[in-house]
Amino acid sequence: MVMEKPRIFNTKEDIPQTAKIIDAFSSGVEELFFANNPRFKKSMPEAKEPLDDFLKNHGIKDIWIYYPARDIAVRCLPEDLYFKLRTARNRNIITQDEQINYRNTKVGVVGLSVGSAVLSALVMSGGPKVLKIADFDTVEISNLNRINATLLDIGADKTAVAAREIWELDPFADLHLYPSGVSDDNLTVFITGEPKLDIFIDEMDSVEMKARARLVCRENKIPVLMATDNGDDVLLDVERYDLEPERPIFHGLVEEKEVMNAKNLNYQQWVELATKIVDPKYLPESMRQSLSEIGKTIAAIPQLGPTASVAGTAIAYAVRRIVNNQTMPSGRYVVSLEKCLGQDLRA
């Protein structure tokens, strides 16, 4: 599956004649009136005259967004107005200035299991226009419990599937795709090459590459975020190398030399080292039991789609705080549904 970026045209004549047409412009202009005039509601009779006047005299020039893989063209508002309307319901949970800062940051995501949920949360909330995305793998049936893909995507590159989802929501996104993943050869380019990242998000499986990425980020004062789905809970790790350039990687839970030499681990050795990084005290009983059964009754570490969604939300929240210079210290944060909802806490 080759994912081709949407093409943006100024006139309908540029669109292939075979394309199916979707009109998002007409309803978008009407929505824009109500977004600009919050004193009116659609059901108000007094809104009819000013709305009619706006629809006749708005002067907004439409654009046409063509999706080659689907042979679909969307008549749409121009980028600035589309973005304004798409984020209108964010305000003032996210202020206008915060939204601009969030939009202008450059983020890289490596690993598209939890990373798939991270990208969804970032893009849905009007986050980074510039995104670097890396994963070497293709979609398999067992992925479908937690990544944003369908049965129709089986065998497709995970990066291509992610790009399609992003571009169908944000056709103006500037995506840099690494369908072969990151390696010793391209890791530094992924992080510091143009466009240089403002934040690196690690959702990789390789412990060695996790460590190497942190060393590159630490050298270049780039913060690292990682969300780990942990049964029904999420661990959010924040490493602010932009503020603490001498900070030990993984909060000092493991020695650098131990993880830098972790290339040829067997699966059980990987689990043991990954568990040390997570820290066993954070593992709920269900995860402890699952880890003991890997290679016996289950084939891999279990993961839940709803938990991945919470992880994506936590990452997006942390990104927003960092780029808006709000308090977001280094450390490990636990988002626990078990603690919040797993006990009888009813009023």
Side-chain angles (χ1 to χ4, degrees):
M1 174 184 180
V2 177
M3 190 61 216
E4 196 172 346
K5 183 177 182 177
R7 303 174 196 169
I8 299 176
F9 302 103
N10 291 320
T11 64
K12 185 178 181 181
E13 287 69 29
D14 295 320
I15 301 298
Q17 293 184 352
T18 57
K20 175 185 175 181
I21 303 298
I22 295 175
D23 183 11
F25 180 81
S26 300
S27 61
V29 170
E30 183 171 336
E31 278 192 281
L32 192 62
F33 168 80
F34 288 103
N36 290 339
N37 297 275
R39 67 186 183 279
F40 292 127
K41 301 296 180 187
K42 290 183 180 181
S43 58
M44 290 181 175
E46 56 267 37
K48 185 178 185 309
E49 185 175 342
L51 173 61
D52 290 344
D53 182 65
F54 179 78
L55 295 178
K56 290 177 183 177
N57 301 294
H58 59 74
I60 300 169
K61 181 69 175 70
D62 58 8
I63 63 170
W64 293 82
I65 304 167
Y66 177 62
Y67 292 89
R70 294 190 181 274
D71 196 25
I72 292 176
V74 183
R75 184 186 179 217
C76 191
L77 298 165
E79 180 177 1
D80 58 338
L81 296 179
Y82 175 73
F83 185 73
K84 177 180 180 178
L85 193 55
R86 194 168 74 80
T87 59
R89 296 292 290 271
N90 290 358
R91 297 180 63 187
N92 276 335
I93 299 171
I94 305 175
T95 69
Q96 188 169 4
D97 287 344
E98 289 170 351
Q99 190 79 65
I100 291 170
N101 292 336
Y102 187 35
R103 178 67 167 170
N104 288 339
T105 196
K106 296 176 282 294
V107 170
V109 180
V110 183
L112 295 180
S113 181
V114 171
S116 172
V118 169
L119 288 170
S120 290
L122 289 171
V123 176
M124 188 183 299
S125 54
K129 180 175 180 177
V130 176
L131 287 162
K132 291 183 177 181
I133 305 170
D135 196 307
F136 65 88
D137 211 352
T138 57
V139 178
E140 299 176 323
I141 293 175
S142 60
N143 298 145
L144 298 183
N145 78 320
R146 65 191 184 280
I147 75 169
N148 293 310
T150 72
L151 192 58
L152 304 183
D153 298 314
I154 298 301
D157 290 341
K158 288 182 178 179
T159 51
V161 173
R164 182 194 65 205
E165 181 191 6
I166 293 168
W167 273 324
E168 290 186 1
L169 182 58
D170 183 0
F172 310 101
D174 180 9
L175 303 185
H176 302 257
L177 306 181
Y178 287 69
S180 297
V182 294
S183 64
D184 292 343
D185 295 331
N186 68 2
L187 178 64
T188 300
V189 171
F190 181 89
I191 296 172
T192 65
E194 289 299 323
K196 181 181 177 181
L197 298 182
D198 297 312
I199 297 176
F200 178 81
I201 297 172
D202 166 28
E203 299 301 337
M204 293 181 279
D205 290 332
S206 169
V207 175
E208 182 202 18
M209 291 308 298
K210 287 175 176 289
R212 292 188 183 280
R214 280 163 173 76
L215 295 181
V216 174
C217 288
R218 187 170 68 181
E219 181 181 353
N220 290 276
K221 298 183 179 181
I222 296 171
V224 175
L225 300 175
M226 178 176 72
T228 304
D229 45 354
N230 187 26
D232 287 302
D233 295 346
V234 169
L235 304 180
L236 172 66
D237 285 293
V238 179
E239 294 168 271
R240 294 296 304 269
Y241 299 119
D242 53 326
L243 303 179
E244 303 169 86
E246 303 300 322
R247 184 178 180 82
I249 64 174
F250 298 118
H251 314 301
L253 289 168
V254 290
E255 296 288 337
E256 288 186 13
K257 61 181 180 181
E258 183 178 6
V259 288
M260 292 301 293
N261 297 317
K263 179 173 287 187
N264 297 313
L265 302 179
N266 63 37
Y267 195 67
Q268 189 58 44
Q269 289 171 325
W270 179 89
V271 170
E272 290 174 2
L273 185 53
T275 300
K276 184 183 285 190
I277 292 171
V278 169
D279 193 341
K281 72 180 181 183
Y282 291 105
L283 293 174
E285 183 58 32
S286 60
M287 283 298 291
R288 292 175 189 270
Q289 293 177 1
S290 296
L291 290 175
S292 68
E293 289 298 314
I294 291 176
K296 300 174 185 176
T297 61
I298 58 176
I301 293 176
Q303 296 176 280
L304 297 176
T307 310
S309 296
V310 174
T313 301
I315 289 279
Y317 178 76
V319 169
R320 278 170 37 209
R321 292 193 67 83
I322 290 171
V323 302
N324 284 296
N325 296 315
Q326 297 167 344
T327 303
M328 192 74 250
S330 295
R332 172 163 289 168
Y333 301 82
V334 181
V335 183
S336 177
L337 297 181
E338 180 68 25
K339 288 185 178 179
C340 291
L341 305 176
Q343 305 173 48
D344 190 355
L345 301 176
R346 292 169 292 182

